[in-house]
Amino acid sequence: NAGVTQTPKFQVLKTGQSMTLQCAQDMNHEYMSWYRQDPGMGLRLIHYSVGAGITDQGEVPNGYNVSRSTTEDFPLRLLSAAPSQTSVYFCASSQTRGNEQFFGPGTRLTVL
Amino acid sequence: LAKTTQPISMDSYEGQEVNITCSHNNIATNDYITWYQQFPSQGPRFIIQGYKTKVTNEVASLFIPADRKSSTLSLPRVSLSDTAVYYCLVGVYFGNEKLTFGTGTRLTIIP
């Protein structure tokens, strides 16, 4: 099993550009989520999904969209990148609500 | 949301037992307590989870008193590789309960 994979590992964007961060898991987990981690800070929940076709907002959803068309994939879209979105983004999945979350390696995003 | 409070940082020598305490005064009946470890440039990794009393696995123990308003992660005989940030989380659900990681405890192991 590859676990949770994220692409790309690094990305530089200009203000106003859009892009999609990819996340995939091969563990057949129902729950997936996106976090951002700013330097020296903890992780903050952006969006989450409790299953295919179901998504909801987390703590800091503004400027981001998600969709969950399959169990495996949970892409995060930045609609119009801003410097405040410079961060490391982690995707995570878990088998059931409350179980341990498995994290991907992260995507380091810089917005100029 | 059961807010958690942890020490910002701790230092310990190799070979010692390290105890990191987390306060969560507003913990709800259905909340579990979960600890994660994060190394630089990596995603967090699950360490241990518990509801009450004591839980032990191959890497750590988790002590939870009867009132569940705090919990203590115990790392036996730490090594340099245990240098990391440790996060205490309280809750069960994603989403609106905003299961946050907080800023964690930065543990530094000294040779």
Side-chain angles (χ1 to χ4, degrees):
Chain A
N1 286 353
V4 179
T5 58
Q6 293 183 237
T7 56
K9 290 189 183 299
F10 302 94
Q11 183 70 49
V12 178
L13 293 177
K14 294 181 180 179
T15 297
Q17 288 185 314
S18 62
M19 80 159 294
T20 299
L21 279 62
Q22 301 293 342
C23 174
Q25 52 93 8
D26 61 359
M27 297 173 282
N28 201 33
H29 285 171
E30 290 296 322
Y31 292 80
M32 296 186 73
S33 55
W34 276 101
Y35 294 87
R36 61 176 288 175
Q37 185 171 34
D38 299 328
M41 304 291 289
L43 283 78
R44 292 185 291 172
L45 183 65
I46 305 172
H47 285 285
Y48 71 103
S49 169
V50 300
I54 306 170
T55 64
D56 206 344
Q57 297 181 350
E59 182 183 6
V60 288
N62 292 340
Y64 307 95
N65 274 355
V66 292
S67 60
R68 184 95 179 271
S69 57
T70 67
T71 299
E72 294 78 19
D73 300 300
F74 190 43
L76 177 72
R77 281 182 288 276
L78 278 69
L79 308 174
S80 178
S84 61
Q85 293 178 305
T86 293
S87 189
V88 180
Y89 291 83
F90 290 102
C91 178
S93 74
S94 63
Q95 186 173 32
T96 60
R97 181 174 287 182
N99 272 27
E100 71 173 281
Q101 296 183 65
F102 293 83
F103 283 81
T107 294
R108 186 174 298 273
L109 175 68
T110 301
V111 183
L112 303 175
Chain B
L1 172 66
K3 180 180 177 180
T4 60
T5 303
Q6 304 175 234
I8 293 175
S9 64
M10 295 178 63
D11 295 338
S12 180
Y13 288 97
E14 274 193 294
Q16 291 189 331
E17 178 184 76
V18 171
N19 296 312
I20 306 174
T21 297
C22 179
S23 297
H24 28 79
N25 291 321
N26 298 323
I27 189 169
T29 302
N30 293 333
D31 286 340
Y32 279 75
I33 300 158
T34 311
W35 285 81
Y36 285 83
Q37 175 192 56
Q38 186 179 28
F39 298 114
S41 301
Q42 294 185 25
R45 184 179 69 172
F46 174 90
I47 300 175
I48 197 166
Q49 184 181 67
Y51 183 79
K52 62 180 179 180
T53 63
K54 177 184 174 182
V55 180
T56 297
N57 62 22
E58 62 276 9
V59 298
S61 295
L62 179 59
F63 297 92
I64 306 168
D67 66 6
R68 303 200 329 122
K69 292 182 183 297
S70 67
S71 59
T72 299
L73 174 72
S74 181
L75 305 173
R77 299 185 57 79
V78 294
S79 65
L80 295 177
S81 63
D82 293 314
T83 294
V85 178
Y86 293 81
Y87 295 98
C88 165
L89 278 74
V90 172
V92 176
Y93 303 101
F94 287 104
N96 288 336
E97 285 199 12
K98 298 180 177 56
L99 191 63
T100 60
F101 276 73
T103 54
T105 297
R106 184 173 299 276
L107 176 64
T108 302
I109 306 303
I110 304 166

